[in-house]
Amino acid sequence: MGNPGVDYEIRRFGPAAKGSPGYPAAVAWMRAVAFGFHDARRPDARVDQGLEMQLADGRMMTGAYQTGPVPAHALGPDVPVATFGTMDKTLNVGFGRLLDTRLVTAVTVRTPHRRRGLLRRMMIEELSLAQEQGLAMAALTASEASIYGRFGFGAATSEQSVKVDTSARFILDHTPAGSVEVADPKVLLELAPQVFDRVHRLTPGSIGRHEFYRQLASGLVRRDEEGPDPKVKVALHYGPGADVDGYVSYRFRGWDAEPYTMEIVDLVAATQDAYLELWQYLGAIDLVERIAWEEAPVDDPLPWALADARCVDASTPRDMLWLRILDVRKVLEARKFSVDGRLLLKVADPLGLDDGTFLLDVQGGEAAVERVAPGHEPDLELDISALSSIYLGAVHPVTLAAAGRIREGGPGAAARAAAMFAVERPAHCLTHF
């Protein structure tokens, strides 16, 4: 495929507003991303809207561009053959602690230019830059699960799709502590970030949200179609103090789809009461027999609150958030640990960004990490992707040891690590990026 002798130049730049000098390059980059993900060609107004959101998020755009002649009639040299986007948000690492994290997104390589090392080149340059800038963690959500392990990323949280039967079987055993009221979807432009911030600070594995989400929840944009979504409806949960502590944004699938179904666009609840009472509201919607949600937590309390747990038909859990540790000492010292103890960790890094042997010493829940000379028998020997997977407590070290991803230096070391790395509640990430 393509010309094996072609060379490439990597360019890194920010999004630009219409009329500014960088606007044509930003538009070409956006078009290349859409092509890579098989999206329909978007009208200019939608591209401009996307650039406004990227500006609000402080994103950076990286592109690989052909240098030298481009074949006649092919896309010109101003359109990148590979793309790579980044932005910085916070990651909840448990017990309310937030860690600045480099998010990787919009990764594409045009078919004729694959197997030229472009993704590897862009990934190594970006991760090295993040490390130089003092960031200790990177994260992504993967369209293809087989790509990112070789760069040191490990799956760290999961999610599932659910279909909830809201016919007469749907009986939720919960006494309301607040109330739910319908609202104009546009109120979420202001309220959604406020409610999510509360959830973000409570939920291990949560990633700070980007601008797209408040516009999605309020119906101003759609995931896969152009223009606003007039079908979106919104309900707010008011806590005992009359403050809004949860919301659900949802849409009707249509009368031609049976059973009649409401799709959850976004469900965010800062308290367990708010979560269950929003479900009580959804289950009581007239003429609807099913609620569908694509981003439900794996450890979902809903089935346990129902008289008939089989009302919830859940898919097989799938990987959601992938983490990549860039600085072992910094990330371990950033989080609180549930159990005191010591672990000697021998960590391999395929990119050589931060490998070595580290002594993790936890006292009073706080960690001190020391790099030690090789030669000591480690308690756990693992690569950086496995350490990234167990970091939030959602992936069990004993499971990875059974899979051959972790080698124990002595019996019980993986179980001891599981107790130490446990967090206060199940890790879950509501933010795709």
Side-chain angles (χ1 to χ4, degrees), residues 16-24 48:
K18 190 170 186 177
S20 64
Y23 176 73
D48 291 343

Side-chain angles (χ1 to χ4, degrees), residues 7 29 32 47 64 71 84-85 87 190 200 205 218 220 230 232 254 278 286 343-344 357 399 419 424 430:
D7 199 7
W29 187 91
V47 173
F84 193 102
M87 58 182 164
E190 177 184 354
H200 180 48
S218 60
L220 292 186
V232 165
L278 286 168
D286 196 21
L343 286 171
L344 191 62
T357 302
T399 303
E424 76 277 23
L430 272 170

Side-chain angles (χ1 to χ4, degrees), residues 80-135:
V81 301
T83 63
F84 193 102
T86 58
M87 58 182 164
D88 292 347
K89 298 291 180 182
T90 53
L91 165 69
N92 186 318
V93 299
F95 302 99
R97 298 188 180 184
L98 303 181
L99 180 68
D100 289 336
T101 298
R102 177 65 45 87
L103 307 189
V104 174
T105 183
V107 177
T108 73
V109 181
R110 201 186 303 165
T111 303
H113 301 271
R114 291 179 183 162
R115 297 178 177 84
R116 310 290 177 83
L118 291 176
L119 173 55
R120 183 176 183 83
R121 181 177 166 185
M122 292 188 295
M123 183 69 78
I124 291 175
E125 288 184 7
E126 185 58 48
L127 296 182
S128 299
L129 176 61
Q131 187 184 58
E132 290 169 9
Q133 293 172 339
L135 293 175

